[in-house]
Amino acid sequence: ETGVTQTPRHLVMGMTNKKSLKCEQHLGHNAMYWYKQSAKKPLELMFVYSLEERVENNSVPSRFSPECPNSSHLFLHLHTLQPEDSALYLCASSLGGLAPDTQYFGPGTRLTVL
Amino acid sequence: EDQVTQSPEALRLQEGESSSLNCSYTVSGLRGLFWYRQDPGKGPEFLFTLYSAGEEKEKERLKATLTKKESFLHITAPKPEDSATYLCAVQAPETGGFKTIFGAGTRLFVKA
């Protein structure tokens, strides 16, 4: 596969469930990102990893827990979510570094919390 | 406060009717401005990166331009397959690295 892949593409979960989102990039990039996209709102950056180290965490609730085991894989572990967490969750990757840094996105996981 | 504002929120065009989308920004020390296209239920697809005022880039019916305060995405003779949401993002330095700020997007509808 090429580019950035995400699984699952769709997820429905109850508020007491625990689930994980997976992202894999095949671009040889060093940085990976999780974004939340809600209707008619700008993309909200949740987490950034650079060379497997978390470099940003924008006040995201602890019910979202990221994991980056290597530079190609990124996970988002979910537990005890709220209905307002329903959204499209996007993973992106980039080269990283000092130059303007283009991010390449995966197709997203559509999450519905009941 | 750094921010990115896109206008209009939605734009309806007839096939062949050229128009422009606007992205205005207020950031300190712009490193780059990015345009993406997003189809419903999919991730954003990269279109262009612009680095400095006066720069222009083209791809098929799309042309992106950049000034010190805003960027335009010009769509010439659009087709129905150009219907999508177009996102603008800017990158600027911050302590320890840089930040990327996205606008809310412009939803474009092109009718045959």
Side-chain angles (χ1 to χ4, degrees):
Chain A
E1 292 201 59
T2 59
V4 181
T5 58
Q6 290 186 243
T7 55
R9 295 294 312 277
H10 301 272
L11 179 62
V12 179
M13 58 188 291
M15 289 191 285
T16 58
N17 292 158
K18 288 184 179 181
K19 297 287 184 183
S20 295
L21 310 185
K22 179 182 176 182
C23 175
E24 185 172 359
Q25 60 96 1
H26 309 267
L27 300 170
H29 288 167
N30 294 317
M32 296 188 78
Y33 311 77
W34 278 117
Y35 284 91
K36 175 183 179 181
Q37 187 176 36
S38 304
K40 297 187 178 181
K41 292 176 67 176
L43 270 70
E44 300 172 50
L45 180 63
M46 300 175 72
F47 301 104
V48 181
Y49 278 83
S50 179
L51 296 172
E52 301 149 47
E53 283 192 29
R54 188 190 303 182
V55 296
E56 188 158 347
N57 173 0
N58 284 345
S59 302
V60 178
S62 59
R63 56 186 183 267
F64 296 92
S65 175
E67 178 189 2
C68 187
N70 55 62
S71 60
S72 298
H73 294 85
L74 184 65
F75 295 89
L76 187 62
H77 303 298
L78 316 171
H79 63 98
T80 60
L81 295 190
Q82 304 299 311
E84 59 264 29
D85 297 322
S86 298
L88 182 68
Y89 287 84
L90 292 163
C91 173
S93 72
S94 70
L95 274 172
L98 299 177
D101 198 26
T102 302
Q103 295 175 25
Y104 294 87
F105 286 83
T109 294
R110 173 64 64 183
L111 174 66
T112 303
V113 182
L114 301 176
Chain B
E1 181 184 352
D2 296 335
Q3 63 179 8
V4 176
T5 303
Q6 292 189 247
S7 61
E9 185 176 319
L11 180 62
R12 298 180 185 275
L13 300 174
Q14 289 292 125
E15 184 172 6
E17 180 186 1
S18 300
S19 188
S20 297
L21 314 182
N22 177 264
C23 171
S24 63
Y25 61 90
T26 53
V27 293
S28 300
L30 180 74
R31 287 167 31 130
L33 184 142
F34 307 88
W35 281 100
Y36 289 86
R37 169 193 170 127
Q38 186 174 22
D39 293 299
K42 297 187 178 181
E45 174 189 346
F46 170 70
L47 294 174
F48 304 110
T49 306
L50 301 168
Y51 299 100
S52 58
E55 189 175 0
E56 300 182 351
K57 288 194 176 175
E58 289 188 65
K59 179 181 179 181
E60 296 180 353
R61 296 177 291 282
L62 300 177
K63 179 180 177 181
T65 62
L66 180 64
T67 73
K68 289 186 178 180
K69 295 183 178 180
E70 59 192 348
S71 176
F72 291 94
L73 185 65
H74 307 278
I75 303 177
T76 302
K79 298 182 178 181
E81 54 261 43
D82 294 322
S83 298
T85 296
Y86 291 85
L87 301 175
C88 168
V90 299
Q91 223 165 60
E94 67 173 1
T95 304
F98 61 88
K99 56 186 172 183
T100 304
I101 306 165
F102 278 83
T106 293
R107 296 176 66 196
L108 175 66
F109 304 90
V110 182
K111 186 176 180 182

